[in-house]
Amino acid sequence: MRGLVRETTLSAADLICPMFVQMGEEDEPIESLPGCTRWSVSGLVRECRRLHGLGIPCVDLFGVVPERLKTPDGAEAHNPQGIVQRAIRALKAELPGLLVMTDVALDPYSSYGQDGIVRELPGGGVEVLNDETVEALVQQALSHAEAGADLISPSDMMDGRVAALRSALDERGYTQVSIMSYTSKYASALYGPFRGALGSAPKAGDKKGYQMDPANAREALREAALDEQEGADILMVKPATYYLDVIAAMRGQTKLPIAAYHVSGEYLMLKSAAASGWLDEKAATLEALVSIRRAGADMILTYAAPQVAEWLARRD
Ligand code: PBG
């Protein structure tokens, strides 16, 4: 009876799995994200075959690059032979039915650990330059599209980048490449484990110049209206569980699909609490994800995707 009257469903088909890929042959466990791995390209393909088999339709790629390849302009981001570009080609060759999304932002490639091109300020801080950054993001996105990416996901929060990406992609004939925009990405304390996984923490300053104030919800709706006008295909709210009100409000405003990113800190909180023995990991994780769906998200990016897909497969 509970099943018959249930209002919200959660299935593997709603999940997108963020994946980290690095150069070399090693697959390394990530200390800050228990259960996650920095994959070699061959390890990534193997794991993605398994995830696709579990019913996960899409993966989101993040490149891990060594310190020596990080530069002030983050130029490695658009290297056609870069790690993400190679991973996309390998995945599309081996698993053409799996959707490959890529993160577009400079932080893994920037010697400053910032999402864009920066200007050093007198006194030691840095300022991210909006328009210069948008040009760099366009280069990065085009190199991903050329390698075969299905979706581009700009996580940088620069103004006007969705319009710039859409028109650059269309001009080059990549009209089929979709844009999932990080529409309301908050300057959250919950990204620490992700930055640990990538070695991408800001070297100076923070990201408050471009990421949103956690105190603001109306601003998220303005961002949504802008992204929609600029041609985004999917809007994203990030993080997810602290921002369920934002997801619900955005659901009321737009007809576009909404994604929510259950971020590294949200994942680690569940893992750590479960490791203490006082929280049932499966029940708590499924409850968190159902709450995100109930708030109005169509799809969820989560590091728990592989585990959740296994749990759901067993239940069904
Ligand atoms: C950076 C980026 C971040 C995440 C995705 N892309 C972190 C940040 O803004 O510093 C966070 C993901 C997570 O915490 O799971 N472009």
Side-chain angles (χ1 to χ4, degrees):
M1 184 59 91
R2 284 169 82 82
L4 194 60
V5 298
R6 184 162 295 134
E7 299 171 28
T8 307
T9 60
L10 176 69
S11 88
D14 309 320
L15 304 178
I16 298 174
C17 192
M19 309 284 289
F20 300 96
V21 59
Q22 67 179 4
M23 295 166 185
E25 293 309 311
E26 242 181 291
D27 301 319
E28 275 180 339
I30 300 175
E31 200 186 333
S32 59
L33 287 170
C36 297
T37 304
R38 273 183 291 263
W39 298 101
S40 61
V41 172
S42 57
L44 177 78
V45 171
R46 201 179 341 110
E47 176 67 356
C48 286
R49 179 171 289 121
R50 187 178 80 85
L51 300 186
H52 198 206
L54 283 166
I56 293 173
C58 183
V59 294
D60 185 17
L61 300 184
F62 292 92
V64 185
V65 303
E67 215 51 46
R68 68 186 159 79
L69 290 180
K70 302 189 184 198
T71 54
D73 65 357
E76 178 65 14
H78 60 83
N79 177 358
Q81 300 308 324
I83 184 62
V84 169
Q85 290 81 355
R86 287 200 281 126
I88 301 166
R89 284 194 291 268
L91 284 172
K92 292 312 293 184
E94 299 277 333
L95 302 166
L98 176 71
L99 289 169
V100 174
M101 180 159 81
T102 57
D103 193 71
V104 166
L106 299 187
D107 49 314
Y109 312 95
S110 154
S111 43
Y112 292 99
Q114 290 287 349
D115 287 20
I117 310 276
V118 308
R119 179 168 77 95
E120 293 194 12
L121 298 173
V126 294
E127 179 189 19
V128 174
L129 301 170
N130 192 90
D131 295 5
E132 288 82 345
T133 297
V134 170
E135 280 173 37
L137 299 173
V138 163
Q139 295 305 108
Q140 185 182 13
L142 288 174
S143 77
H144 292 174
E146 193 185 358
D150 299 292
L151 296 106
I152 299 294
S153 190
S155 67
D156 55 286
M157 290 299 280
M158 296 303 118
D159 291 332
R161 92 282 208 213
V162 170
L165 290 169
R166 187 69 272 158
S167 70
L169 289 166
D170 289 351
E171 267 165 36
R172 307 294 159 93
Y174 301 119
T175 53
Q176 300 300 319
V177 174
S178 302
I179 297 177
M180 175 188 285
S181 175
Y182 283 64
T183 294
S184 56
K185 176 175 182 179
Y186 286 90
S188 171
L190 300 175
Y191 306 148
F194 169 94
R195 293 175 185 171
L198 278 186
S200 66
K203 305 273 190 313
D206 52 34
K207 300 191 176 183
K208 291 181 182 160
Y210 44 105
Q211 298 183 350
M212 284 177 48
D213 184 344
N216 291 0
R218 283 196 307 270
E219 188 183 359
L221 300 182
R222 285 179 47 220
E223 294 280 5
L226 287 168
D227 277 358
E228 193 162 347
Q229 271 168 27
E230 291 183 30
D233 298 286
I234 302 170
L235 305 181
M236 188 209 289
V237 176
K238 172 184 180 178
T241 48
Y242 286 10
Y243 297 88
L244 295 179
D245 59 325
V246 175
I247 297 173
M250 204 177 282
R251 179 70 289 157
Q253 168 171 303
T254 182
K255 299 282 187 285
L256 287 178
I258 293 178
Y261 200 142
H262 183 245
V263 301
S264 59
E266 298 175 273
Y267 173 80
L268 183 62
M269 286 194 283
L270 287 168
K271 279 283 180 192
S272 309
S276 79
W278 288 102
L279 208 72
D280 174 337
E281 182 177 0
K282 177 177 169 183
T285 304
L286 293 176
E287 187 173 333
L289 299 185
V290 162
S291 79
I292 297 167
R293 292 267 299 138
R294 192 189 63 237
D298 299 287
M299 61 200 94
I300 306 171
L301 294 92
T302 176
Y303 303 95
Q307 175 74 78
V308 170
E310 281 173 26
W311 287 329
L312 296 176
R314 254 175 262 155
R315 193 181 56 181
D316 287 345

